[in-house]
Amino acid sequence: MHPALSVIVFTTASGAGCGLLLLSGLLAMAGVFADDPTFGAVAVAIGVALLGGGLMSSAAHLGRPERMFRALTQWRSSWLSREGVVALATFVPAGVLFLACVFGWGPGVVAISGAVLAVLAAATTLCTAMIYASLKPIRQWRSRLVLPGYLILALMTGSLLLLTLARAFGHRSPGYEAVALAAIVGALVVKLLYWKHIDTAAPTTDLGTATGLGQFGRVRLLDPPHTEENFVMREMGYQIARRHAYKLRQIAVVTAFAAPVLLTLVGGVVPAALAVIAAGFGVLVERWLFFAEATHTSVIYYGRPG
């Protein structure tokens, strides 16, 4: 699949924002924001900004961005529509929690809005992952690892943001570091398993099964469907050389996982902020690969495995 920059930025930014909002909701339930409302207000504001910025970026991928709200009406059948509805709903408890922190509305309001926020933030990320995991024509995205991969990467980037804020506000609890490190390790394991799966999984269809003629013998193309590149080949048939994919995977592992671990262990606000930057860049590379390494079954009509 052709990697679209707007979608790559959207999934990276919204994932980090949802991860931060989810963790913020849990902290609000635990009473941390009631004790330090400024910390809570800043964390929620950054999470909302990332989620909102990601949604605006995704609108650029639409053919008619001015009609983006029409997509929200298809929530019964479309994961994309469900994602938009749930994402917009997430802003409601986020706004309540932010105002509760700013105006000191009491621990009850903070805890309840935090609980709702945590659920909706997780649900938004789930809907984002299901947009791709539900597409049967793309075998790499039909993996059971796509959904946990999106969730754990969101938690990883969100926890690194939260760790940076916690250190900036003087919160020295080792729990912030423990959550960030556990999320990084978990994300690395899921990503390595996913890469192994797409490298070893056999194509799910070929010309024989697609045309129904396989029962009569081997099916092959007599002539190519087109004499020059068309939309299908540009968008669905995008290819990346194996050696380039391997190098980009190494870059993703170093920047998204290895560097943040080392920087988290160093301690201090600046190393934590650098860990956020490194992880953000690494996830951008990972998301680019997520699209570039995906193959649509339509390419089998052009002589390539689906």
Side-chain angles (χ1 to χ4, degrees):
M1 298 290 288
H2 187 274
L5 179 60
S6 57
V7 177
I8 293 171
V9 172
F10 158 63
T11 54
T12 302
S14 65
C18 286
L20 180 57
L21 290 174
L22 189 158
L23 293 171
S24 297
L26 296 178
L27 289 181
M29 294 171 59
V32 174
F33 288 174
D35 297 331
D36 191 348
T38 305
F39 174 43
V42 173
V44 172
I46 293 176
V48 168
L50 286 170
L51 177 57
L55 290 174
M56 294 303 296
S57 174
S58 68
H61 189 62
L62 301 176
R64 297 293 296 271
E66 69 275 9
R67 297 179 180 178
M68 61 179 295
F69 289 103
R70 294 187 181 182
L72 302 178
T73 63
Q74 308 303 312
W75 57 269
R76 293 180 181 84
S77 59
S78 169
W79 282 106
L80 176 63
S81 181
R82 293 166 188 162
E83 176 200 41
V85 171
V86 178
L88 292 177
T90 304
F91 291 126
V92 177
V96 174
L97 180 56
F98 176 81
L99 294 175
C101 291
V102 171
F103 296 106
W105 286 352
V109 176
V110 171
I112 294 174
S113 59
V116 177
L117 176 60
V119 172
L120 290 179
T124 300
T125 305
L126 182 148
C127 290
T128 302
M130 287 304 299
I131 293 174
Y132 309 106
S134 63
L135 296 179
K136 294 182 180 180
I138 304 175
R139 65 174 181 84
Q140 291 87 347
W141 293 353
R142 290 294 291 172
S143 169
R144 295 179 179 178
L145 295 169
V146 169
L147 176 56
Y150 266 74
L151 291 173
I152 193 65
L153 281 171
L155 186 62
M156 182 192 81
T157 49
S159 64
L160 288 172
L161 283 165
L162 187 64
L163 173 61
T164 304
L165 291 174
R167 289 179 177 178
F169 280 86
H171 292 252
R172 301 304 178 187
S173 172
Y176 295 105
E177 286 83 359
V179 170
L181 291 173
I184 294 171
V185 173
L188 175 60
V189 171
V190 171
K191 199 70 246 181
L192 292 177
L193 290 174
Y194 172 77
W195 284 333
K196 180 180 180 180
H197 168 73
I198 66 173
D199 287 343
T200 57
T204 56
T205 187
D206 55 26
L207 282 173
T209 57
T211 60
L213 300 174
Q215 57 183 319
F216 303 110
R218 180 175 175 270
V219 180
R220 62 184 179 86
L221 293 172
L222 294 178
D223 289 297
H226 297 273
T227 57
E228 59 184 26
E229 189 179 60
N230 60 6
F231 175 82
V232 174
M233 294 307 296
R234 286 195 305 270
E235 297 297 323
M236 308 298 183
Y238 184 88
Q239 282 185 296
I240 177 174
R242 176 61 59 187
R243 64 180 183 277
H244 295 324
Y246 179 71
K247 290 179 181 178
L248 288 173
R249 288 182 183 182
Q250 290 180 312
I251 293 173
V253 168
V254 171
T255 56
F257 308 113
V261 166
L262 295 176
L263 291 168
T264 298
L265 293 174
V266 169
V269 178
V270 174
L274 292 176
V276 171
I277 296 172
F281 176 79
V283 173
L284 284 172
V285 175
E286 179 274 331
R287 288 291 152 82
W288 191 92
L289 281 170
F290 179 76
F291 289 95
E293 292 186 296
T295 54
H296 195 279
T297 53
S298 61
V299 300
I300 64 175
Y301 295 104
Y302 296 84
R304 288 171 47 191

